[in-house]
Amino acid sequence: MTEIFTGSFTQQEPIPEEAIEAAVEVMRHGRLHRYNVAEGEAGEVALLEEEFAAQMGAPYALAVASGGYALATALRAVGVQPGDTVLTNAFTLAPVPGAIASVGAVPVYVGVTEALTLDLNDLEAQLVVPDHPRVLMLSHMRGHLCDMDRLMALCDAADVTVIEDCAHTMGARWNGVLSGRHGAVGCYSCQTYKHVNSGEGGLLITSDPEIAARAIMLSGSYMLYSRHRVAPTSEVFEQVKYETPNISGRMDNLRAAILRPQLRDLDQQVQRWNERYQQIETGLRDTTGLTVIERPETEDYVGSSIQFLLLDWTVEKIEAVLGRCAARGVELKWFGAPEPVAFTSRYDSWRYADTPAMPASDRILHGIMDMRVPLTFSLEDCAQIARIIRAEVAAVFQAGPA
Ligand SMILES: *Cc1c(COP(=O)(O)O)cnc(C)c1O
């Protein structure tokens, strides 16, 4: 009998009761705007920022409307101007080059390795050119961290400011250092499919007082910056407040109320994601034709999604695997499809920027299979999913060349 998986790859866990109660509390008093606070009240957004800063070990934090907004704000805050070039990953999600384009800058892509991380040799080669870009927006795409020590050494030596896109690495670490704490700015998304869920939302952290002040001004704080609890001193704001535009993208107290209890649970959730990830990974190991992504010892990842490679497979055979898995309830996403579908576009789909051919990255992108691992899956679900993928990959592989 062939088994069929019946779970949903898009169903996250419900919002915790404590968070629901906190949200209801905000609705009862009606002060949803972050700067609408009663006498002596800090407000949920300011408290969220304070708690997130402490959790990440950062002096400054800002909560905003989305992850993409956090990325664009970070670019503006570090001084990116229209027409500037910004380095970023060829393998990432559309909001990353989108944030670069939103400030009138031009993305310049760096390749992807078989480990699904930024190709540091490619980066090194691009940094040798005299007028190379001065900012790297590094996307830890699908939770894979590159050698952050080498990356920071390369960027520091070339005077390149690093903004980290931690949409898939909230809670992850490289060499013991939290993702988001290596570069000048760390950006996070609180959208439903990420590690905490407020529907929409974003967070930004930094150690740099001027970046923090600019980001707070940019986010739409009017001249209410003194209401922020993890912000630089007023002297820093005095220096930037007349030159920094107000580009409203604030978070509201309702979302912040939902997020605070979730952040307190983050470590436990990370552990649960990793149990599921490891169950699937174990089940996929030693499948002929399928390459498991080996995670380095120095990386503490968050297994909220899993990838594997069908390296050098033909389109027909990959499509056969996708179809056969789908027929058994297993939804795989493919980054190599000739046309971008749903979330899986790639550098050559973003045609607002000129992109040279990247054959080495094309080979990897062509083979990337991706799957979400929602916490609503049980460990047995994960084992079953792995059995199904394994059987279908083997069946197609054995059928010979397409
Ligand atoms: C989701 C995501 C973002 C942007 O987050 P939004 O909150 O959806 O704007 C940025 N980068 C990556 C890799 C993402 O997956």
Side-chain angles (χ1 to χ4, degrees), residues 243-389:
E243 289 100 69
T244 310
N246 184 116
I247 305 176
S248 292
R250 293 171 299 271
M251 182 178 278
D252 59 87
N253 284 330
L254 196 51
R255 288 192 171 89
I258 294 175
L259 289 171
R260 291 176 63 208
Q262 293 183 53
L263 278 172
R264 290 198 277 276
D265 283 345
L266 183 64
D267 288 347
Q268 198 199 333
Q269 300 292 77
V270 168
Q271 208 181 326
R272 294 175 63 218
W273 262 307
N274 290 352
E275 285 163 12
R276 284 156 181 75
Y277 180 99
Q278 280 146 20
Q279 184 85 318
I280 299 172
E281 185 192 67
T282 303
L284 293 180
R285 271 194 190 283
D286 306 316
T287 307
T288 315
L290 181 155
T291 309
V292 165
I293 312 295
E294 299 297 346
R295 311 301 296 248
E297 281 279 315
T298 28
E299 181 193 33
D300 294 315
Y301 58 87
V302 183
S304 54
S305 70
I306 189 164
Q307 294 70 43
F308 59 87
L309 291 168
L310 297 180
L311 217 44
D312 303 322
W313 283 48
T314 63
V315 170
E316 292 72 21
K317 292 192 116 185
I318 291 177
E319 282 174 346
V321 170
L322 288 168
R324 295 173 68 123
C325 286
R328 295 179 65 183
V330 175
E331 246 182 74
L332 295 173
K333 307 291 179 200
W334 179 31
F335 278 88
E339 276 300 309
V341 181
F343 292 104
T344 58
S345 59
R346 39 163 211 262
Y347 76 95
D348 55 354
S349 329
W350 308 317
R351 294 186 196 154
Y352 41 84
D354 276 343
T355 48
M358 303 182 79
S361 292
D362 290 343
R363 172 171 175 259
I364 311 293
L365 287 164
H366 179 77
I368 300 177
M369 312 301 283
D370 175 75
M371 196 176 77
R372 281 202 188 102
V373 185
L375 288 174
T376 48
F377 288 1
S378 67
L379 292 179
E380 176 41 36
D381 288 340
C382 294
Q384 186 187 39
I385 288 165
R387 283 196 300 274
I388 291 172
I389 296 173

Side-chain angles (χ1 to χ4, degrees), residues 66-68 71 92-93 95-96 139 141 165 167-168 189 191 194 200-201:
S66 74
L71 293 172
T92 184
L93 217 70
V96 177
S139 183
M141 178 62 173
D165 166 24
H168 305 158
S189 169
Q191 188 238 70
K194 313 300 164 82
E200 301 288 353

Side-chain angles (χ1 to χ4, degrees), residues 389-401:
I389 296 173
R390 186 183 187 88
E392 297 307 334
V393 166
V396 176
F397 190 80
Q398 277 152 21

